[in-house]
């Protein structure tokens, strides 16, 4: 419950921090703007609310972790990290226990020599 809200809030927080990072990079590249007009700082209170929500909803926090792990894996990932994230997401989506999903999230294949 609440996972869609958590995912939307996470996306908004990530976008806000990315906007700030991009603005800082543009500022540093502009020789005429030596820090006089910095970009607006990210909304820290929004990030704090997300953190509090994740602490109060461990299932949503685990799902977010699994989703991020699945999405961050490279297409040629031979560690099984991405597949482990997808498996954990499937367990949670089907109503499985948090412990099962956490265990699936940690499973990764050994490197092949």
């Amino acid at each position: 419950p609440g996972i869609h809200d958590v995912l939307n809030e996470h996306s908004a927080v990530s976008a806000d921090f990315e906007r700030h990072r991009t603005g800082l990079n543009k500022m540093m590249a502009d020789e005429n703007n030596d820090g006089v007009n910095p970009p607006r700082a990210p909304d820290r209170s929004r990030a704090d609310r997300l953190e509090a929500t994740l602490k109060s909803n461990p299932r949503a926090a685990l799902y977010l972790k699994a989703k991020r792990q699945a999405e961050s894996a490279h297409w040629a990932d031979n560690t099984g990290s991405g597949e482990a994230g997808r498996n954990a997401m499937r367990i949670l989506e089907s109503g499985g226990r948090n412990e099962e999903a956490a265990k699936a999230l940690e499973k990764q294949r050994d490197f092949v020599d």
Side-chain angles (χ1 to χ4, degrees), residues 30-42:
D30 183 359
E31 294 177 5
N32 295 321
N33 182 8
D34 58 356
V36 175
N37 299 314
R40 183 176 37 95

Side-chain angles (χ1 to χ4, degrees), residues 4-83:
H4 294 294
D5 295 335
V6 168
L7 293 175
N8 289 338
E9 190 66 21
H10 178 265
S11 293
V13 168
S14 296
D16 196 28
F17 276 86
E18 180 62 22
R19 177 203 46 81
H20 185 255
R21 187 190 66 76
T22 301
L24 285 176
N25 287 343
K26 285 181 181 178
M27 180 186 72
M28 297 305 288
D30 183 359
E31 294 177 5
N32 295 321
N33 182 8
D34 58 356
V36 175
N37 299 314
R40 183 176 37 95
D43 183 1
R44 188 68 211 166
S45 64
R46 188 174 218 174
D48 292 341
R49 283 193 310 271
L50 175 62
E51 187 175 331
T53 301
L54 292 174
K55 282 183 182 177
S56 67
N57 191 342
R59 188 172 182 88
L62 185 59
Y63 187 87
L64 180 61
K65 181 179 179 182
K67 182 174 175 54
R68 292 182 69 200
Q69 182 171 320
E71 290 176 349
S72 68
H74 189 270
W75 68 268
D77 175 31
N78 64 349
T79 65
S81 174
E83 186 61 28

